[in-house]
Amino acid sequence: MRRDTFLKSMAALAAAGALPLTARAAPTVKMMIPANPGGGWDTTGRALGKALQDGKLADAVVYENKGGAAGALGLAQFINSSKGDPNALMVMGAVMLGGLITGRPPVNLTQVTPIARLTSEYNVFVLPPNSPFTSMKDVVAQLKKDPGSVKWGGGSRGSTEHIAACILARSVGVDPKKVNYVAFRGGGEATAAILGGNVTVGGSGYSEFAEYINTGKMQAIGVTSQKRLPGVAVPTMKEQGFDVVIGNWRGVYGAPGISPEQREALTNMVVEATRTKTWTDAMTANKWTPSLLKGREFSEFVDYEFSALRAIIYLSGMG
């Protein structure tokens, strides 16, 4: 076959969508991470992006970090800048729901397209170096004595670690409104504050503090899981006598205004990425629990979580 005839045939096949995936140009994915570098959303977004590339599902992934207001600033930018883009993704999760409830920004998740839940993770509470405390019981004793003297540091207002601190206070007879919570715009800022001794207790997803816990720079004093995390020698809050069980989860949304077909294609691409070795290695390294949920089930899950978190926030005195 002549070269020009061959090229014309390939072009016709491509236009008809008949070429195998390996012969089509993979997209460039735009990944909005609505938080500063160094936190859980950042780690999740970049791990997913690497999986998309290693799995030959994307030619390139372009990342944009936009922290602030529990992800609401990044959400607003995503809504305004990615309308109709079938290759745009935004990382989100339980923290964003909490922020939307407490912050009441002028944007909301109904303006973007649900794609998939990816992971679940539990929070860990840690003490900074040279802390006068050695356990969660020490912290609770001080909390009962003088609530304002215990400075809790973590993600944005309404984050799962913030809610956990308020649930703990309420469970031990302390007014949740007296919890002295310091919100940071990203995991990097929170980590620096904890290592610098600028907060009494730090809270976040276990993966964010794992390296500091393993090297002894932070002392882990409790996890918010029902049972101990596999391979992690940190007691749960519950086994220490504190009824605090709350999980964090992370997922991705697509741009506003994409078609049902584009949503399905984007969902399939993300699901394929979660089947790569790159992704499973990231899950293991970060001690994430796989919790893939897509389509209508994911949409319904977000609606349920929003209602449940609203109730918890109200009962915790934050709403």
Side-chain angles (χ1 to χ4, degrees), residues 20-34:
L21 281 174
T22 53
R24 296 184 205 169
T28 293
V29 172
K30 297 173 187 172
M31 186 83 68
M32 165 57 73
I33 301 172

Side-chain angles (χ1 to χ4, degrees), residues 1 13 42 70 78 88 127 142-144 178 208 222 240 263 269-270 277 285:
M1 182 185 292
L13 282 169
D42 190 59
F78 186 70
L127 297 174
Q142 182 63 28
L143 183 68
K144 288 180 176 180
K178 293 184 178 179
E208 292 189 38
Q240 297 178 76
R263 177 185 180 181
M269 184 174 72
V270 168
K277 185 176 184 301

Side-chain angles (χ1 to χ4, degrees), residues 127 133-140 219 221 240:
L127 297 174
F133 304 123
T134 60
S135 68
M136 182 56 76
K137 288 185 178 179
D138 291 344
V139 172
V140 169
Q219 181 189 347
I221 56 172
Q240 297 178 76

Side-chain angles (χ1 to χ4, degrees), residues 37-62:
W41 284 350
D42 190 59
T43 306
T44 303
R46 291 176 191 276
L48 179 60
K50 190 172 188 304
L52 287 168
Q53 287 184 275
D54 290 354
K56 311 296 184 192
L57 300 160
D59 275 341
V61 180
V62 179

Side-chain angles (χ1 to χ4, degrees), residues 83-108:
K83 289 176 183 173
D85 186 343
N87 297 314
L89 286 169
M90 179 191 70
V91 183
M92 53 74 68
V95 171
M96 182 174 283
L97 301 193
L100 292 175
I101 293 166
T102 58
R104 300 183 181 89
V107 291
N108 60 70

Side-chain angles (χ1 to χ4, degrees), residues 169-305:
R170 189 167 179 266
S171 73
V172 299
V174 174
D175 184 351
K177 293 177 183 176
K178 293 184 178 179
V179 168
N180 182 5
Y181 187 81
V182 182
F184 295 94
R185 292 190 301 170
E189 289 183 13
T191 297
I194 296 162
L195 293 175
N198 297 320
V199 296
T200 311
V201 187
S204 190
Y206 187 87
S207 64
E208 292 189 38
F209 294 157
E211 65 175 293
Y212 304 101
I213 294 169
N214 294 337
T215 57
K217 293 179 179 177
M218 294 179 183
Q219 181 189 347
I221 56 172
V223 292
T224 62
S225 51
Q226 187 76 33
K227 297 179 180 179
R228 288 199 183 195
L229 301 178
V232 176
V234 180
T236 66
M237 297 291 287
K238 199 157 188 177
E239 73 181 85
Q240 297 178 76
F242 308 116
D243 192 15
V244 181
V245 178
I246 185 170
N248 194 1
W249 57 268
R250 300 186 183 107
V252 285
Y253 266 56
I258 60 174
S259 68
E261 294 76 20
Q262 289 171 328
R263 177 185 180 181
E264 184 178 5
L266 192 56
T267 302
N268 291 339
M269 184 174 72
V270 168
V271 170
E272 284 300 312
T274 66
R275 293 172 179 159
T276 64
K277 185 176 184 301
T278 298
W279 180 255
T280 54
D281 286 349
M283 294 283 291
T284 301
N286 291 294
K287 298 195 181 300
W288 294 335
T289 301
S291 57
L292 185 66
L293 202 62
K294 60 179 182 174
R296 192 166 118 190
E297 290 81 7
F298 178 50
S299 300
E300 290 174 351
F301 167 79
V302 173
D303 290 342
Y304 172 81
E305 277 284 289

